Amino acid sequence: MIIRKYLFSFFYRATRFLARIITSLYQFIFNKKQDLESIVDFGDRNLVKIDKLFGGIAYQFLIPDNLEVELFDLKFKSPIIASSFKSDKNLIGIWLKLGLGGAILKTIMKDERKGNSKPRLQQVRLERQACLVNALGLPGEGVEKFSKAIIDNPLWNHKKPIGLSIGGENLDDYIKTFNVLDTMSNKLKSSKYFFELNISCPNTDTGSTIGENIDELETLINHIRAKNDSVVSVKISPDWNNDHLKKIGEVIKSKEKMIINAGNTQFKTIEYLGFKNGSLPRGGGGLSGVAIFPRTLELVNLFNDMNLKIMATGGISTIHHLNAVKDAGASLYGLATALIMDPYCIPKINYALSRVK
Ligand SMILES: Cc1cc2nc3c(=O)[nH]c(=O)nc-3n(C[C@H](O)[C@H](O)[C@H](O)COP(=O)(O)O)c2cc1C
């Protein structure tokens, strides 16, 4: 039934809007700091509860047959995938049922981290669209705990490629985290996984990232290639200048089975965003959503000129965005903000995509 996705999309957006208004009012009246994270967490918990009760009708959508994309030895039934930003496997499972071709799990760090203090996620209206700004600071359970939990996770039952995103404060962190994941990967029943190097990890304690040091990046990729022949995606920052990005592109081009993920959030200060002091830690955060799309398109053009395999991430939420980056040379499309705003964009985009193919 074609109309089902539009109906559920309407209910989802209306409920999200109301929840946001009520929570914002509560935070205002009781003089609490405005914070979107509690609303998102509340919504996520309810989506998972709904899955247990009515998952079949609310979330089960077929992917049209003609959307498959093959990248090296990975097959994506749909080219839209979840970008790395959520660690909740139940929620990611829901998005896969809604029709994603794959998903990248939230960046895994060597040790457990609480992340920055709250508030660290805000909504902002730019380009007449709701966008997000986050300064979560990569909270997570750490690679050892993650590895034990992921081996038998039902996520693999979807038989879709799952990306393991690696972050770190320095080269040594990346190598140690990769080594643990590499050992774990031998126990996986599925070969449908790939690695992503989040080399643009913002919000780290040092403030610098491995992507700024081309030699270290190459050392890391060589280390991975010597041990594991799975696809590796490298996720860059749209904040870097094009000359630097071309150098990264050259390194990636010289290695086997590599994808470039063009882009990530764009760092913006609270002054730029018009937020009050204390709205975000570290004086600002990573902007995501429609407002960053023009730079994503620019990056796809840049890397397409270098003949790289490209995943486009940043500001994609409709078939129009997708067609633009597809025409510019991207093969996969990563979504984050759009999944928070309305996960029913997944069946909507798949449907629209099947009609233009
Ligand atoms: C709340 C939140 C958390 C994120 N966490 C990560 C992360 O752990 N690792 C990562 O590579 N990118 C992370 N991102 C960036 C997204 O994966 C994506 O690259 C960015 O949001 C741009 O895409 P979008 O405009 O579709 O949101 C995060 C984004 C958001 C909004």
Side-chain angles (χ1 to χ4, degrees):
M1 195 171 50
I2 290 169
I3 199 162
R4 185 166 58 117
K5 51 185 159 300
Y6 296 102
L7 269 178
F8 278 112
S9 164
F10 174 78
F11 283 126
Y12 178 91
R13 284 177 294 129
T15 313
R16 185 181 185 280
F17 177 75
L18 279 176
R20 204 171 71 80
I21 296 295
I22 293 167
T23 315
S24 296
L25 263 175
Y26 168 83
Q27 288 169 345
F28 178 73
I29 291 166
F30 292 98
N31 209 14
K32 293 184 182 296
K33 283 186 179 163
Q34 294 283 314
D35 173 24
L36 190 74
E37 198 172 344
S38 45
I39 308 171
V40 172
D41 290 348
F42 173 78
D44 291 352
R45 279 196 301 278
N46 283 301
L47 285 174
V48 173
K49 275 186 201 154
I50 291 172
D51 190 27
K52 294 199 173 108
L53 298 170
F54 318 106
I57 177 141
Y59 303 140
Q60 202 71 55
F61 285 83
L62 287 176
I63 301 176
D65 280 339
N66 56 345
L67 303 190
E68 187 164 290
V69 166
E70 224 172 303
L71 266 182
F72 305 108
D73 48 8
L74 295 174
K75 283 188 182 150
F76 297 84
K77 287 181 185 148
S78 161
I80 46 175
I81 70 172
S83 181
S84 165
F85 77 110
K86 274 282 172 200
S87 48
D88 183 337
K89 324 272 182 320
N90 293 320
L91 194 65
I92 294 169
I94 291 173
W95 296 333
L96 291 172
K97 279 199 249 179
L98 280 164
L100 287 182
I104 307 173
L105 303 180
K106 185 161 178 64
T107 299
I108 307 143
M109 304 287 276
K110 182 169 69 66
D111 301 314
E112 185 178 350
R113 290 161 65 103
K114 286 196 166 58
N116 293 326
S117 55
K118 294 182 184 176
R120 53 191 188 173
L121 180 67
Q122 303 288 1
Q123 188 161 315
V124 61
R125 202 162 176 83
L126 292 170
E127 308 290 329
R128 287 182 290 149
Q129 300 277 343
C131 298
L132 297 176
V133 193
N134 94 83
L136 299 193
L138 295 164
E141 59 198 340
V143 69
E144 293 287 352
K145 213 166 161 188
F146 169 88
S147 293
K148 286 188 186 114
I150 196 70
I151 293 176
D152 294 322
N153 195 279
L155 217 45
W156 302 109
N157 299 342
H158 292 272
K159 301 194 182 344
K160 292 177 176 175
I162 301 293
L164 306 172
S165 167
I166 302 173
E169 298 273 353
N170 51 49
L171 176 62
D172 194 50
D173 275 9
Y174 278 89
I175 288 184
K176 283 187 175 142
T177 302
F178 165 76
N179 287 347
V180 177
L181 293 176
D182 180 48
T183 309
M184 177 279 293
S185 69
N186 296 322
K187 297 183 195 146
L188 283 177
K189 283 179 213 107
S190 170
S191 58
K192 284 181 174 280
Y193 77 93
F194 60 102
F195 293 105
E196 177 160 279
L197 301 176
N198 180 3
I199 62 165
S200 48
C201 261
N203 292 309
T204 56
D205 291 339
T206 55
S208 65
T209 64
I210 196 172
E212 285 156 46
N213 187 327
I214 306 275
D215 291 340
E216 285 195 349
L217 175 63
E218 185 153 21
T219 306
L220 174 62
I221 299 174
N222 288 342
H223 175 83
I224 295 175
R225 272 290 155 263
K227 297 183 93 179
N228 191 305
D229 69 351
S230 300
V231 171
V232 177
S233 154
V234 176
K235 186 172 186 181
I236 55 83
S237 167
D239 293 337
W240 292 331
N241 68 48
N242 289 1
D243 285 341
H244 184 68
L245 290 168
K246 277 188 200 159
K247 285 184 195 147
I248 293 176
E250 290 301 342
V251 172
I252 291 172
K253 203 173 167 180
S254 67
K255 313 290 171 195
E256 298 285 313
K257 289 172 79 173
M258 303 291 295
I259 300 175
I260 190 134
N261 187 348
N264 205 329
T265 54
Q266 286 180 13
F267 183 81
K268 301 287 177 203
T269 61
I270 50 172
E271 290 81 23
Y272 173 94
L273 297 161
F275 288 152
K276 284 192 202 140
N277 266 340
S279 307
L280 289 166
R282 298 175 192 258
L287 176 65
S288 61
V290 174
I292 66 170
F293 181 74
R295 179 66 174 149
T296 305
L297 185 57
E298 221 172 87
L299 294 174
V300 174
N301 278 308
L302 180 103
F303 293 124
N304 189 46
D305 288 346
M306 301 181 76
N307 280 326
L308 294 168
K309 302 268 187 226
I310 307 164
M311 181 188 320
T313 306
I316 299 172
S317 68
T318 66
I319 185 70
H320 307 295
H321 298 130
L322 196 142
N323 281 335
V325 281
K326 185 178 169 198
D327 291 347
S331 314
L332 285 178
Y333 318 101
L335 272 57
T337 304
L339 299 180
I340 297 178
M341 298 298 174
D342 177 14
Y344 289 93
C345 70
I346 303 168
K348 285 197 241 174
I349 295 177
N350 276 344
Y351 176 67
L353 202 53
S354 71
R355 289 165 67 90
V356 292
K357 266 214 154 184

